Amino acid sequence: MDYGSLISRSLGYTKDALWGEWWRWVLLVILSLVQVFTLFLVPLYNGYIVRVLSGRRPAPDVNQWGRLFLDGWKLNIITLIYLIPVILVLAVFGGIAAISAIAARGLDNPDVWASAVATAVTGIVIASIIWIIISFISMFAIVRFAHTGSFLQAFSFGAIARHIGRIGWGAWILALIILVLIGLVYAVLNGLIASIPILGWIINLFLGVAYGIFHARYLVEAYESAPAPG
């Protein structure tokens, strides 16, 4: 897998999608704000990301609002289902920590409180490890869902494993690691720009949409680096 080409093609796609298409860019910023302020209950922006993940060339227009809404909710649900193991781990360890803390209430024994904190931290660490492992599958599953248009294909684990095998597990994992590093650079840049009063916040809204499209297209490029199994 040519990772440099992966990045350059994704940047080119993002540029073509937004540069000069100002109305599309502004509309996507508005949809991203609506999605955040409604706590993802109106996931029209996610619906657009699904269109990008489907591999459409050139970048799709923002239309067919009902379809955007449904696809956005499908993406929400798929993401939530893949997060169930993480949520369960946090719930179990959080419950144990809470019971320990309640038992320690009013007691002067710091060891009891330390045990509750240690339990909570352990739960967070384990949940984080599980989340990282699941992410290698869930990101691929989301692209498969978008490409096939089938919700159930996001959970076709055999087909997902065979496709990743064709790409190469090492190549796919390295592609995601590179994407994470790019995300870290973006986060630092975001923080620097945010220090600019008012204007920085506005700039970051537009950059956030651009990064979202880049992120989705990068996954598509990696996904399409090997043909899907029949």
Side-chain angles (χ1 to χ4, degrees):
M1 189 181 295
D2 186 345
Y3 301 103
S5 179
L6 215 65
I7 295 171
S8 63
R9 289 199 301 269
S10 301
L11 286 173
Y13 183 93
T14 304
K15 175 179 175 293
D16 292 341
L18 300 174
W19 197 257
E21 299 290 344
W22 307 114
W23 172 241
R24 179 190 293 166
W25 203 343
V26 170
L27 188 54
L28 287 172
V29 167
I30 294 172
L31 294 185
S32 68
L33 286 172
V34 169
Q35 181 167 286
V36 170
F37 286 123
T38 60
L39 302 178
F40 286 75
L41 294 177
V42 185
L44 295 171
Y45 176 73
N46 270 2
Y48 183 81
I49 292 300
V50 170
R51 287 189 184 173
V52 176
L53 289 169
S54 70
R56 291 194 190 185
R57 301 181 183 86
D61 290 324
V62 184
N63 53 23
Q64 298 177 312
W65 299 94
R67 182 64 182 272
L68 286 178
F69 184 81
L70 289 175
D71 284 345
W73 260 109
K74 288 177 182 178
L75 179 57
N76 285 353
I77 294 170
I78 291 170
T79 302
L80 182 61
I81 290 174
Y82 272 99
L83 283 175
I84 287 176
V86 177
I87 295 171
L88 288 176
V89 169
L90 289 174
V92 170
F93 280 87
I96 295 173
I99 292 171
S100 298
I102 291 172
R105 189 175 182 181
L107 300 178
D108 295 327
N109 184 358
D111 292 337
V112 180
W113 285 102
S115 175
V117 172
T119 300
V121 172
T122 300
I124 292 171
V125 171
I126 294 175
S128 299
I129 294 171
I130 293 174
W131 175 72
I132 291 171
I133 294 172
I134 290 176
S135 294
F136 292 126
I137 303 297
S138 64
M139 286 193 182
F140 202 92
I142 289 170
V143 184
R144 181 173 177 82
F145 147 66
H147 264 64
T148 62
S150 170
F151 178 86
L152 294 179
Q153 285 300 315
F155 306 99
S156 182
F157 300 112
I160 290 171
R162 289 195 299 274
H163 195 167
I164 296 177
R166 289 184 177 184
I167 295 171
W169 281 91
W172 172 248
I173 291 172
L174 182 55
L176 292 189
I177 291 173
I178 291 172
L179 185 58
V180 169
L181 294 176
I182 294 172
L184 291 175
V185 172
Y186 164 73
V188 171
L189 177 64
N190 214 252
L192 293 174
I193 295 175
S195 64
I196 305 173
I198 302 177
L199 181 60
W201 182 76
I202 296 173
I203 293 173
N204 277 339
L205 285 175
F206 284 84
L207 284 181
V209 167
Y211 178 74
I213 293 175
F214 167 83
H215 186 279
R217 185 62 202 180
Y218 180 96
L219 292 175
V220 171
E221 293 288 348
Y223 178 93
E224 293 180 347
S225 64

